[in-house]
Amino acid sequence: MKKHFLFPFLIVSLLFVYACEEEVVIDDFPRLERTYVHRIPGCVSGGNPEQNCEEWVEFLGGFKANILIGGNDIVFSKGFRVDANDHIIVYDETGFSSQSEIVFEYINQDTLQRVSDNSYWILRD
């Protein structure tokens, strides 16, 4: 009789442990006013104020983001959303921008990875 009780008890225990396992969730991403930076490899600005060697994205309240991309000196105001795969998608809300969506994979609170080029964007202190 004890053998018949032990097996269901083990199954229920394993299901309980699995259900309580901590999952990485970014529903509250991002914390406001967090800026992630990517240093462009091999970049030399040569003193040109219109050339940056860093790209960055700053997440603001209301699902807004500011982004400086590609070493330019123009900061774009964009929207962002988090999809079901925990990707952070920065996009132009007007639909008129020449820049397409920029997709980041959430690694942790300190690191994002840009999907298109696998570059890592690190939280600025």
Side-chain angles (χ1 to χ4, degrees), residues 61 93 114:
E93 295 175 297
R114 186 173 174 186

Coordinates of all heavy atoms in Angstrom, one line a residue, residues 61 93 114:
G61 N 9.7 56.9 -19.4 CA 8.3 56.5 -19.0 C 7.4 56.6 -20.2 O 7.7 57.2 -21.3
E93 N 7.1 55.7 -34.0 CA 5.7 55.7 -33.8 C 4.9 56.3 -35.0 O 3.8 56.0 -35.2 CB 5.3 56.4 -32.5 CG 5.8 55.7 -31.3 CD 5.6 56.5 -30.0 OE1 6.1 57.6 -29.9 OE2 4.8 56.0 -29.2
R114 N 21.6 43.5 -29.1 CA 20.9 43.9 -30.4 C 20.9 42.7 -31.3 O 21.9 42.1 -31.6 CB 21.7 45.1 -31.0 CG 20.9 45.6 -32.2 CD 21.5 46.9 -32.7 NE 20.9 47.3 -33.9 CZ 21.3 48.3 -34.7 NH1 22.4 49.0 -34.3 NH2 20.6 48.7 -35.7

